[in-house]
């Protein structure tokens, strides 16, 4: 092994530098091309068709603090009359793990002044690319405010705009989280941006398509059958 490394050290070094340069270039491009569309002040946001709240970890029906922060910000954007509908997009690929219904039930449990008809649910938002693709193709969203934390916001806006959505990002404050947590988010995000760049470049398909439910219709059409009857 040592002999192999000595023999091929130069090639390995050049390859490593090349890969690192590509990763860095893609990250810079995604951040720089989207930063003008990212806001931290709700009052300055433009008016759009829908707010898209991206899912995050839940435990049974309890939202993680990350997701709770996103959802509250999304509700406040609706309150500010920046959109008429809210799309909750997340992972509901298994019966025992359900981000979207957890978000919807949180809104209802907290008695937020949002009508059921305004709440749309994307049960197949397994990653950010799937969420944005389906927002465009399944929910026919033409303009949106995407809500997520700062580390994630540029990639989200980049994907949405690349797919044809007039997208703006609301960056949820993440300063209350530990520095080590934020560092890990940002380190992982560098690689995830490369995947997003690849998905956009190849015009990848989402995990699932499905029946169209326009964001201008009744959001309850996107709810689970069992939940509709309750």
């Amino acid at each position: 092994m040592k002999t192999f490394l000595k023999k091929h050290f130069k090639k390995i070094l050049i390859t490593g530098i090349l890969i690192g340069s590509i990763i860095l270039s893609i990250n810079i491009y995604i951040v720089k091309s989207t930063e003008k569309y990212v806001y931290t002040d709700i009052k300055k946001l433009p008016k759009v068709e829908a707010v898209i709240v991206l899912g995050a970890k839940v435990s049974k029906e309890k939202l993680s603090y990350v997701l709770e922060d996103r959802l509250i910000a999304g509700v406040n954007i609706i309150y500010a009359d920046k959109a008429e509908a809210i799309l909750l997009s997340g992972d509901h690929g298994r019966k025992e793990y359900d981000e979207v219904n957890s978000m919807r039930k949180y809104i209802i449990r907290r008695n937020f002044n949002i009508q059921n008809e305004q709440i749309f649910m994307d049960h197949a938002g397994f990653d950010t690319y799937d969420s944005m693709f389906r927002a465009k193709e399944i929910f026919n969203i033409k303009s949106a405010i995407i809500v997520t934390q700062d580390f994630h916001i540029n990639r989200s806006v980049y994907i949405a705009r690349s797919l044809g959505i007039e997208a703006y990002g609301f960056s949820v404050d993440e300063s209350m989280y530990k520095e080590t947590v934020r560092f890990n988010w940002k380190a992982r995000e560098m690689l995830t941006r490369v995947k997003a760049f690849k998905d956009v470049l190849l015009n990848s398909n989402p995990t699932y398509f499905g029946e169209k439910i326009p964001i201008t219709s009744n959001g309850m059409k996107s709810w689970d059958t069992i939940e509709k009857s309750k």
Side-chain angles (χ1 to χ4, degrees):
M1 185 66 177
K2 288 182 179 180
T3 304
F4 175 84
L5 290 174
K6 285 181 179 179
K7 186 177 180 180
H8 299 281
F9 177 76
K10 190 174 181 180
K11 289 182 181 178
I12 294 171
L13 180 62
I14 292 172
T15 302
I17 292 172
L18 181 60
I19 292 172
S21 298
I22 291 171
I23 292 172
L24 184 61
S25 297
I26 289 173
N27 273 264
I28 291 172
Y29 171 69
I30 288 176
V31 172
K32 291 297 182 183
S33 65
T34 57
E35 58 187 6
K36 65 182 176 182
Y37 303 114
V38 175
Y39 293 78
T40 55
D41 185 346
I42 290 178
K43 293 178 183 177
K44 294 181 180 179
L45 284 165
K47 188 156 186 174
V48 296
E49 282 186 308
V51 176
I52 302 175
V53 179
L54 296 175
K57 187 177 179 180
V58 299
S59 178
K60 294 184 179 178
E61 291 185 359
K62 181 175 174 54
L63 308 188
S64 60
Y65 292 124
V66 168
L67 184 52
E68 187 174 15
D69 288 346
R70 293 179 189 181
L71 195 54
I72 290 173
V75 167
N76 285 332
I77 291 169
I78 295 288
Y79 284 171
D81 196 30
K82 299 296 183 178
E84 295 296 326
I86 185 166
L87 174 62
L88 311 176
S89 183
D91 185 349
H92 186 192
R94 294 166 287 143
K95 185 178 180 180
E96 67 273 14
Y97 186 78
D98 185 352
E99 294 175 358
V100 287
N101 273 304
S102 298
M103 287 191 275
R104 180 186 63 79
K105 289 176 180 178
Y106 180 90
I107 290 174
I108 293 171
R109 190 165 62 244
R110 291 285 299 270
N111 292 317
F112 290 125
N113 188 25
I114 295 179
Q115 301 302 310
N116 288 345
E117 294 79 7
Q118 294 177 273
I119 304 172
F120 289 76
M121 300 171 64
D122 179 6
H123 302 268
F126 299 122
D127 63 17
T128 308
Y129 184 85
D130 280 16
S131 291
M132 295 308 137
F133 192 106
R134 288 172 55 80
K136 175 76 165 25
E137 298 299 328
I138 302 301
F139 296 93
N140 293 343
I141 293 176
K142 297 179 177 64
S143 61
I145 295 165
I146 303 164
V147 182
T148 187
Q149 275 75 18
D150 182 64
F151 77 92
H152 185 204
I153 197 67
N154 296 98
R155 172 164 57 98
S156 304
V157 173
Y158 166 75
I159 294 171
R161 285 195 161 261
S162 297
L163 293 174
I165 299 173
E166 182 189 339
Y168 303 90
F170 181 75
S171 179
V172 180
D173 182 26
E174 60 183 46
S175 62
M176 72 288 292
Y177 296 100
K178 293 180 180 178
E179 286 188 18
T180 52
V181 172
R182 286 183 282 144
F183 176 82
N184 288 336
W185 285 344
K186 287 177 170 58
R188 186 179 59 191
E189 185 66 12
M190 290 190 72
L191 295 178
T192 314
R193 286 175 186 152
V194 175
K195 179 185 180 299
F197 184 83
K198 181 266 294 181
D199 284 337
V200 168
L201 187 66
L202 298 180
N203 194 28
S204 300
N205 286 327
T207 307
Y208 294 112
F209 283 89
E211 178 186 352
K212 288 184 180 292
I213 307 171
I215 202 71
T216 53
S217 65
N218 187 331
M220 293 183 73
K221 292 179 181 179
S222 63
W223 292 21
D224 301 61
T225 302
I226 294 175
E227 295 298 336
K228 285 179 185 177
S229 65
K230 288 184 179 180

Short mmCIF file of all heavy atoms in Angstrom, two decimals, residues 187-226:
data_model
loop_
_atom_site.label_atom_id
_atom_site.label_comp_id
_atom_site.label_asym_id
_atom_site.label_seq_id
_atom_site.Cartn_x
_atom_site.Cartn_y
_atom_site.Cartn_z
N ALA A 187 -20.73 21.62 6.24
CA ALA A 187 -19.80 20.68 5.61
C ALA A 187 -20.55 19.69 4.72
O ALA A 187 -20.15 19.42 3.58
CB ALA A 187 -19.01 19.95 6.68
N ARG A 188 -21.65 19.15 5.23
CA ARG A 188 -22.45 18.21 4.46
C ARG A 188 -23.10 18.90 3.26
O ARG A 188 -23.23 18.32 2.18
CB ARG A 188 -23.52 17.59 5.37
CG ARG A 188 -24.33 16.49 4.72
CD ARG A 188 -25.34 15.92 5.69
NE ARG A 188 -26.25 16.96 6.16
CZ ARG A 188 -27.11 16.78 7.17
NH1 ARG A 188 -27.12 15.65 7.85
NH2 ARG A 188 -27.92 17.75 7.51
N GLU A 189 -23.49 20.14 3.46
CA GLU A 189 -24.15 20.90 2.39
C GLU A 189 -23.25 21.09 1.18
O GLU A 189 -23.73 21.14 0.05
CB GLU A 189 -24.61 22.26 2.94
CG GLU A 189 -25.42 23.10 1.96
CD GLU A 189 -26.78 22.51 1.62
OE1 GLU A 189 -27.21 21.55 2.29
OE2 GLU A 189 -27.40 23.00 0.66
N MET A 190 -21.95 21.19 1.39
CA MET A 190 -21.03 21.37 0.27
C MET A 190 -21.15 20.22 -0.72
O MET A 190 -21.13 20.43 -1.94
CB MET A 190 -19.59 21.49 0.77
CG MET A 190 -19.31 22.79 1.51
SD MET A 190 -17.56 23.04 1.84
CE MET A 190 -16.94 23.40 0.18
N LEU A 191 -21.29 19.01 -0.23
CA LEU A 191 -21.43 17.85 -1.10
C LEU A 191 -22.85 17.74 -1.66
O LEU A 191 -23.05 17.34 -2.81
CB LEU A 191 -21.08 16.57 -0.34
CG LEU A 191 -19.62 16.44 0.12
CD1 LEU A 191 -19.42 15.15 0.90
CD2 LEU A 191 -18.68 16.48 -1.08
N THR A 192 -23.83 18.12 -0.85
CA THR A 192 -25.22 18.04 -1.30
C THR A 192 -25.49 19.03 -2.43
O THR A 192 -26.30 18.75 -3.32
CB THR A 192 -26.18 18.30 -0.12
OG1 THR A 192 -25.75 17.56 1.01
CG2 THR A 192 -27.59 17.87 -0.48
N ARG A 193 -24.80 20.15 -2.43
CA ARG A 193 -24.94 21.11 -3.54
C ARG A 193 -24.44 20.52 -4.84
O ARG A 193 -24.98 20.80 -5.91
CB ARG A 193 -24.20 22.41 -3.21
CG ARG A 193 -24.90 23.29 -2.19
CD ARG A 193 -24.06 24.49 -1.84
NE ARG A 193 -24.65 25.27 -0.75
CZ ARG A 193 -23.95 26.00 0.09
NH1 ARG A 193 -22.62 26.07 -0.01
NH2 ARG A 193 -24.55 26.69 1.05
N VAL A 194 -23.42 19.70 -4.76
CA VAL A 194 -22.89 19.04 -5.96
C VAL A 194 -23.95 18.10 -6.54
O VAL A 194 -24.16 18.05 -7.75
CB VAL A 194 -21.59 18.27 -5.65
CG1 VAL A 194 -21.12 17.49 -6.88
CG2 VAL A 194 -20.50 19.23 -5.20
N LYS A 195 -24.63 17.35 -5.67
CA LYS A 195 -25.72 16.48 -6.12
C LYS A 195 -26.84 17.29 -6.77
O LYS A 195 -27.39 16.90 -7.81
CB LYS A 195 -26.27 15.67 -4.95
CG LYS A 195 -27.43 14.74 -5.34
CD LYS A 195 -28.02 14.04 -4.14
CE LYS A 195 -29.18 13.13 -4.54
NZ LYS A 195 -30.31 13.86 -5.18
N ALA A 196 -27.18 18.42 -6.16
CA ALA A 196 -28.23 19.28 -6.72
C ALA A 196 -27.83 19.77 -8.10
O ALA A 196 -28.65 19.79 -9.03
CB ALA A 196 -28.48 20.46 -5.79
N PHE A 197 -26.59 20.18 -8.25
CA PHE A 197 -26.07 20.65 -9.55
C PHE A 197 -26.19 19.54 -10.58
O PHE A 197 -26.61 19.78 -11.72
CB PHE A 197 -24.61 21.09 -9.39
CG PHE A 197 -24.01 21.69 -10.62
CD1 PHE A 197 -24.21 23.03 -10.93
CD2 PHE A 197 -23.25 20.91 -11.47
CE1 PHE A 197 -23.66 23.58 -12.08
CE2 PHE A 197 -22.69 21.45 -12.62
CZ PHE A 197 -22.89 22.79 -12.93
N LYS A 198 -25.83 18.32 -10.18
CA LYS A 198 -25.93 17.17 -11.09
C LYS A 198 -27.37 16.88 -11.47
O LYS A 198 -27.69 16.63 -12.64
CB LYS A 198 -25.28 15.96 -10.40
CG LYS A 198 -25.28 14.67 -11.24
CD LYS A 198 -26.46 13.77 -10.95
CE LYS A 198 -26.42 13.22 -9.54
NZ LYS A 198 -27.60 12.30 -9.30
N ASP A 199 -28.29 16.90 -10.49
CA ASP A 199 -29.70 16.63 -10.76
C ASP A 199 -30.29 17.65 -11.73
O ASP A 199 -31.04 17.29 -12.65
CB ASP A 199 -30.51 16.65 -9.45
CG ASP A 199 -30.30 15.40 -8.62
OD1 ASP A 199 -29.91 14.36 -9.19
OD2 ASP A 199 -30.50 15.46 -7.39
N VAL A 200 -29.94 18.91 -11.54
CA VAL A 200 -30.42 19.96 -12.45
C VAL A 200 -29.83 19.77 -13.84
O VAL A 200 -30.53 19.87 -14.85
CB VAL A 200 -30.07 21.35 -11.88
CG1 VAL A 200 -30.30 22.43 -12.94
CG2 VAL A 200 -30.91 21.65 -10.64
N LEU A 201 -28.54 19.50 -13.89
CA LEU A 201 -27.84 19.33 -15.17
C LEU A 201 -28.42 18.18 -15.98
O LEU A 201 -28.60 18.28 -17.20
CB LEU A 201 -26.35 19.09 -14.91
CG LEU A 201 -25.42 19.07 -16.13
CD1 LEU A 201 -25.37 20.45 -16.77
CD2 LEU A 201 -24.02 18.63 -15.71
N LEU A 202 -28.75 17.08 -15.30
CA LEU A 202 -29.27 15.89 -15.97
C LEU A 202 -30.79 15.87 -16.09
O LEU A 202 -31.36 14.93 -16.63
CB LEU A 202 -28.81 14.63 -15.23
CG LEU A 202 -27.29 14.41 -15.15
CD1 LEU A 202 -26.99 13.12 -14.38
CD2 LEU A 202 -26.67 14.36 -16.54
N ASN A 203 -31.43 16.93 -15.54
CA ASN A 203 -32.89 17.00 -15.54
C ASN A 203 -33.49 15.72 -14.96
O ASN A 203 -34.36 15.08 -15.55
CB ASN A 203 -33.43 17.24 -16.96
CG ASN A 203 -34.88 17.65 -16.98
OD1 ASN A 203 -35.39 18.24 -16.02
ND2 ASN A 203 -35.58 17.33 -18.06
N SER A 204 -33.00 15.35 -13.79
CA SER A 204 -33.42 14.11 -13.13
C SER A 204 -34.92 14.13 -12.81
O SER A 204 -35.52 15.19 -12.64
CB SER A 204 -32.64 13.91 -11.84
OG SER A 204 -31.25 13.84 -12.10
N ASN A 205 -35.49 12.94 -12.73
CA ASN A 205 -36.88 12.80 -12.32
C ASN A 205 -36.97 12.59 -10.82
O ASN A 205 -36.03 12.06 -10.21
CB ASN A 205 -37.53 11.62 -13.04
CG ASN A 205 -37.82 11.92 -14.50
OD1 ASN A 205 -38.12 13.06 -14.86
ND2 ASN A 205 -37.70 10.91 -15.35
N PRO A 206 -38.09 12.95 -10.22
CA PRO A 206 -38.26 12.71 -8.77
C PRO A 206 -38.52 11.23 -8.52
O PRO A 206 -38.75 10.45 -9.45
CB PRO A 206 -39.48 13.56 -8.43
CG PRO A 206 -40.29 13.54 -9.70
CD PRO A 206 -39.28 13.58 -10.82
N THR A 207 -38.53 10.85 -7.26
CA THR A 207 -38.81 9.45 -6.91
C THR A 207 -40.21 9.06 -7.35
O THR A 207 -40.42 7.96 -7.87
CB THR A 207 -38.68 9.27 -5.38
OG1 THR A 207 -37.41 9.75 -4.96
CG2 THR A 207 -38.83 7.81 -4.99
N TYR A 208 -41.17 9.97 -7.17
CA TYR A 208 -42.56 9.73 -7.58
C TYR A 208 -43.11 10.94 -8.31
O TYR A 208 -42.73 12.07 -8.02
CB TYR A 208 -43.46 9.45 -6.36
CG TYR A 208 -43.15 8.16 -5.64
CD1 TYR A 208 -42.62 8.18 -4.36
CD2 TYR A 208 -43.40 6.93 -6.24
CE1 TYR A 208 -42.32 7.00 -3.68
CE2 TYR A 208 -43.12 5.74 -5.57
CZ TYR A 208 -42.58 5.79 -4.29
OH TYR A 208 -42.29 4.63 -3.64
N PHE A 209 -44.02 10.67 -9.24
CA PHE A 209 -44.80 11.74 -9.85
C PHE A 209 -46.15 11.79 -9.13
O PHE A 209 -46.19 11.96 -7.94
CB PHE A 209 -44.96 11.49 -11.36
CG PHE A 209 -43.71 11.82 -12.15
CD1 PHE A 209 -42.74 10.86 -12.36
CD2 PHE A 209 -43.52 13.10 -12.64
CE1 PHE A 209 -41.59 11.17 -13.07
CE2 PHE A 209 -42.38 13.42 -13.36
CZ PHE A 209 -41.40 12.45 -13.57
N GLY A 210 -47.26 11.59 -9.84
CA GLY A 210 -48.55 11.57 -9.17
C GLY A 210 -49.57 12.47 -9.84
O GLY A 210 -49.28 13.17 -10.82
N GLU A 211 -50.77 12.45 -9.28
CA GLU A 211 -51.87 13.26 -9.80
C GLU A 211 -51.62 14.73 -9.52
O GLU A 211 -51.16 15.11 -8.45
CB GLU A 211 -53.17 12.82 -9.10
CG GLU A 211 -54.40 13.60 -9.51
CD GLU A 211 -55.62 13.22 -8.68
OE1 GLU A 211 -55.54 12.26 -7.91
OE2 GLU A 211 -56.65 13.92 -8.82
N LYS A 212 -51.94 15.58 -10.48
CA LYS A 212 -51.75 17.02 -10.31
C LYS A 212 -52.78 17.59 -9.35
O LYS A 212 -53.96 17.26 -9.41
CB LYS A 212 -51.85 17.73 -11.67
CG LYS A 212 -50.65 17.48 -12.58
CD LYS A 212 -50.76 18.29 -13.85
CE LYS A 212 -49.57 18.06 -14.76
NZ LYS A 212 -48.31 18.62 -14.22
N ILE A 213 -52.31 18.44 -8.45
CA ILE A 213 -53.18 19.12 -7.49
C ILE A 213 -52.76 20.59 -7.50
O ILE A 213 -51.89 21.00 -6.73
CB ILE A 213 -53.04 18.53 -6.07
CG1 ILE A 213 -53.23 17.01 -6.08
CG2 ILE A 213 -54.02 19.20 -5.10
CD1 ILE A 213 -52.90 16.33 -4.78
N PRO A 214 -53.34 21.40 -8.39
CA PRO A 214 -52.90 22.79 -8.51
C PRO A 214 -52.98 23.55 -7.19
O PRO A 214 -53.92 23.36 -6.41
CB PRO A 214 -53.88 23.37 -9.54
CG PRO A 214 -54.34 22.19 -10.32
CD PRO A 214 -54.39 21.06 -9.34
N ILE A 215 -51.98 24.38 -6.94
CA ILE A 215 -51.91 25.15 -5.70
C ILE A 215 -53.06 26.15 -5.60
O ILE A 215 -53.35 26.66 -4.51
CB ILE A 215 -50.55 25.87 -5.59
CG1 ILE A 215 -50.22 26.23 -4.14
CG2 ILE A 215 -50.51 27.10 -6.51
CD1 ILE A 215 -49.90 25.08 -3.27
N THR A 216 -53.75 26.39 -6.70
CA THR A 216 -54.91 27.30 -6.70
C THR A 216 -56.20 26.57 -6.34
O THR A 216 -57.26 27.20 -6.26
CB THR A 216 -55.06 27.95 -8.08
OG1 THR A 216 -55.09 26.92 -9.08
CG2 THR A 216 -53.91 28.90 -8.37
N SER A 217 -56.13 25.25 -6.13
CA SER A 217 -57.32 24.48 -5.79
C SER A 217 -57.45 24.34 -4.27
O SER A 217 -56.86 25.10 -3.52
CB SER A 217 -57.27 23.10 -6.47
OG SER A 217 -56.19 22.33 -5.96
N ASN A 218 -58.20 23.34 -3.84
CA ASN A 218 -58.42 23.09 -2.41
C ASN A 218 -57.30 22.19 -1.89
O ASN A 218 -57.13 21.06 -2.34
CB ASN A 218 -59.79 22.41 -2.23
CG ASN A 218 -60.17 22.25 -0.77
OD1 ASN A 218 -59.33 22.12 0.11
ND2 ASN A 218 -61.47 22.26 -0.50
N GLY A 219 -56.57 22.68 -0.90
CA GLY A 219 -55.44 21.94 -0.37
C GLY A 219 -55.80 20.59 0.21
O GLY A 219 -54.97 19.66 0.24
N MET A 220 -57.04 20.41 0.64
CA MET A 220 -57.46 19.15 1.27
C MET A 220 -57.45 17.99 0.28
O MET A 220 -57.47 16.83 0.69
CB MET A 220 -58.83 19.31 1.92
CG MET A 220 -58.82 20.26 3.11
SD MET A 220 -60.43 20.39 3.92
CE MET A 220 -60.50 18.81 4.77
N LYS A 221 -57.38 18.30 -1.02
CA LYS A 221 -57.26 17.24 -2.02
C LYS A 221 -55.95 16.48 -1.87
O LYS A 221 -55.82 15.35 -2.33
CB LYS A 221 -57.35 17.84 -3.43
CG LYS A 221 -58.70 18.40 -3.80
CD LYS A 221 -58.67 18.99 -5.20
CE LYS A 221 -60.02 19.58 -5.59
NZ LYS A 221 -59.98 20.18 -6.94
N SER A 222 -54.97 17.12 -1.25
CA SER A 222 -53.65 16.49 -1.08
C SER A 222 -53.51 15.77 0.25
O SER A 222 -52.48 15.15 0.51
CB SER A 222 -52.55 17.56 -1.19
OG SER A 222 -52.68 18.52 -0.14
N TRP A 223 -54.54 15.84 1.09
CA TRP A 223 -54.48 15.19 2.39
C TRP A 223 -54.70 13.69 2.26
O TRP A 223 -55.29 13.21 1.28
CB TRP A 223 -55.54 15.76 3.33
CG TRP A 223 -55.31 17.19 3.73
CD1 TRP A 223 -54.54 18.12 3.09
CD2 TRP A 223 -55.89 17.86 4.85
NE1 TRP A 223 -54.59 19.32 3.74
CE2 TRP A 223 -55.41 19.19 4.83
CE3 TRP A 223 -56.76 17.46 5.86
CZ2 TRP A 223 -55.78 20.13 5.79
CZ3 TRP A 223 -57.13 18.40 6.82
CH2 TRP A 223 -56.64 19.72 6.78
N ASP A 224 -54.27 12.92 3.26
CA ASP A 224 -54.52 11.49 3.28
C ASP A 224 -56.02 11.24 3.35
O ASP A 224 -56.77 12.00 3.96
CB ASP A 224 -53.89 10.85 4.52
CG ASP A 224 -52.39 11.08 4.57
OD1 ASP A 224 -51.98 12.24 4.61
OD2 ASP A 224 -51.64 10.09 4.55
N THR A 225 -56.47 10.13 2.76
CA THR A 225 -57.89 9.79 2.74
C THR A 225 -58.45 9.67 4.16
O THR A 225 -59.51 10.18 4.48
CB THR A 225 -58.12 8.45 1.99
OG1 THR A 225 -57.62 8.58 0.68
CG2 THR A 225 -59.61 8.14 1.93
N ILE A 226 -57.68 9.01 5.04
CA ILE A 226 -58.13 8.83 6.44
C ILE A 226 -58.29 10.18 7.12
O ILE A 226 -59.25 10.44 7.83
CB ILE A 226 -57.13 7.96 7.22
CG1 ILE A 226 -57.13 6.55 6.66
CG2 ILE A 226 -57.46 7.94 8.70
CD1 ILE A 226 -56.08 5.63 7.27
#
